[in-house]
Amino acid sequence: VIGHSKYQESKRIAIFLSMPDEIQTEEIIKDIFKQGKECFIPRYKPHSNHMDMLKLSSAEDISSLTLTSWNILQPSDDDSAREEALAGGGLDLIFMPGLGFDKKGNRLGRGKGYYDTYLERCMKHPSGKPYTIALAFREQICESVPVAENDVQVDEILYEDC
């Protein structure tokens, strides 16, 4: 990931904070800050499909986040001091989680459509749609995954042996 050309040329990067069953992103987050890039993480709104990407000030900033009912760390609802990526310069790159992927770039998420809805908002931003890379285990690559018309394909899927 760190050697990837899209990562190297990106300045504003959104990345998920890993759940135990996902590719671990902690070292990538540390490298984002080491390289002087800007790091944004998701904040999900429960009972909706709305998600924002909020700026982290450092890798250590993660320890100040609150744990949601889904066991995901994210900025609290009353944390209004953080920049939302689309309120500023947009994003260059988004690293995406998922449950399953196929080689055509289709992604099976957790069913709420947070990333698809967010990417639609990105497309309306002056900076346009960021490049998207899904981080997966080899076992998550399927022949095909079910898709709906509002599902947005990922640009690339990185997994072992790809």
Side-chain angles (χ1 to χ4, degrees), residues 97-100 107-112:
L99 298 176
R107 172 185 162 275
L108 181 66
R110 295 187 184 264
K112 298 281 189 187

Side-chain angles (χ1 to χ4, degrees), residues 108-162:
L108 181 66
R110 295 187 184 264
K112 298 281 189 187
Y114 287 111
Y115 279 89
D116 299 310
T117 304
Y118 192 79
L119 287 168
E120 284 177 27
R121 287 172 52 209
C122 289
M123 289 179 219
K124 296 173 185 161
H125 189 273
S127 67
K129 180 186 167 289
Y131 194 78
T132 54
I133 297 177
L135 301 177
F137 296 106
R138 182 175 56 247
E139 294 80 5
Q140 291 177 286
I141 308 303
C142 308
E143 197 61 43
S144 69
V145 296
V147 292
E149 63 181 51
N150 60 330
D151 288 342
V152 180
Q153 288 183 318
V154 295
D155 295 310
E156 191 171 346
I157 302 162
L158 291 183
Y159 58 97
E160 285 179 315
D161 304 331
C162 72

Side-chain angles (χ1 to χ4, degrees), residues 2-3 7-8 10-11 30-37:
I2 290 168
Y7 174 77
Q8 287 295 323
S10 293
K11 298 283 182 237
K30 287 178 184 174
D31 190 74
I32 290 171
F33 287 105
K34 186 175 143 197
Q35 293 202 34
K37 301 172 184 287

Side-chain angles (χ1 to χ4, degrees), residues 39-100:
C39 184
F40 296 82
I41 58 165
R43 179 172 66 191
Y44 307 91
K45 294 256 196 248
H47 314 298
S48 77
N49 63 358
H50 186 85
M51 173 177 77
D52 290 316
M53 291 292 184
L54 300 179
K55 190 173 183 177
L56 278 181
S57 58
S58 67
E60 295 73 32
D61 189 15
I62 293 169
S63 65
S64 74
L65 303 176
T66 54
L67 202 58
T68 69
S69 58
W70 295 342
N71 270 340
I72 298 172
L73 286 170
Q74 69 176 25
S76 64
D77 287 339
D78 59 2
D79 186 345
S80 58
R82 295 177 190 274
E83 176 191 343
E84 201 294 314
L86 296 180
L91 291 165
D92 302 316
L93 173 64
I94 298 179
F95 286 108
M96 299 172 64
L99 298 176

